[in-house]
């Protein structure tokens, strides 16, 4: 679903993911997403999604996740699930 969404926005998946992580750090949004988008660990290994972000952003995101007792992969998955439901980026592009 994330790949299809990225294609619809004419972005690569890593670029889309980087934008969403940047937004989540700047808005300090992980705490509010935790309740709604947390999922139990999957029984089988999930596909890993890569977001290419700078070291500082990665550290800030990892620290925000750790404060909530989350790993960065789990936190990123929450951000991506939220975007697939809310479609914030798509709305921002369309409304301009």
């Amino acid at each position: 679903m994330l790949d299809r969404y990225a294609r619809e926005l004419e972005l690569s998946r890593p670029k889309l993911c980087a934008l969403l992580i940047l937004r989540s750090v700047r808005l300090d949004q992980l705490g509010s997403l935790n309740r709604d988008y947390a999922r139990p660990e999957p029984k089988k290994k999930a596909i890993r999604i890569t977001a290419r972000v700078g070291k500082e952003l990665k550290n800030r995101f990892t620290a925000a996740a750790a404060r909530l007792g989350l790993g960065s992969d789990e936190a990123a998955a929450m951000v991506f699930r939220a975007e697939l439901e809310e479609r914030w980026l798509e709305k921002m592009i369309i409304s301009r």
Side-chain angles (χ1 to χ4, degrees), residues 1 5-6 9 19 21-22 34 36-37 39 45-47 51-52 56-57 59-60 64-65 67 75 85-86 89 93-94:
M1 291 172 52
Y5 185 54
L9 298 176
L19 284 170
I21 287 172
L22 176 62
N34 191 24
D36 299 327
Y37 297 101
R39 300 279 195 278
K45 181 110 173 121
I47 296 170
R52 293 182 179 87
E56 181 183 339
L57 179 57
N59 290 341
R60 290 174 61 197
R67 283 192 297 275
E85 185 175 311
E86 297 167 2
L89 185 56
I93 292 170
I94 292 170

Side-chain angles (χ1 to χ4, degrees), residues 6 10-21 50-52 89:
E10 298 184 34
L11 294 169
S12 68
R13 184 177 64 187
K15 288 193 187 295
L16 169 64
C17 293
L19 284 170
L20 298 176
I21 287 172
T50 302
R52 293 182 179 87
L89 185 56

Side-chain angles (χ1 to χ4, degrees), residues 37-76:
Y37 297 101
R39 300 279 195 278
E41 285 295 314
K43 292 183 181 177
K44 63 180 184 174
K45 181 110 173 121
I47 296 170
R48 185 165 196 166
I49 296 174
T50 302
R52 293 182 179 87
V53 298
K55 187 175 182 176
E56 181 183 339
L57 179 57
K58 180 179 179 178
N59 290 341
R60 290 174 61 197
F61 185 76
T62 300
R67 283 192 297 275
L68 298 169
L70 302 170
S72 58
D73 287 348
E74 185 180 5

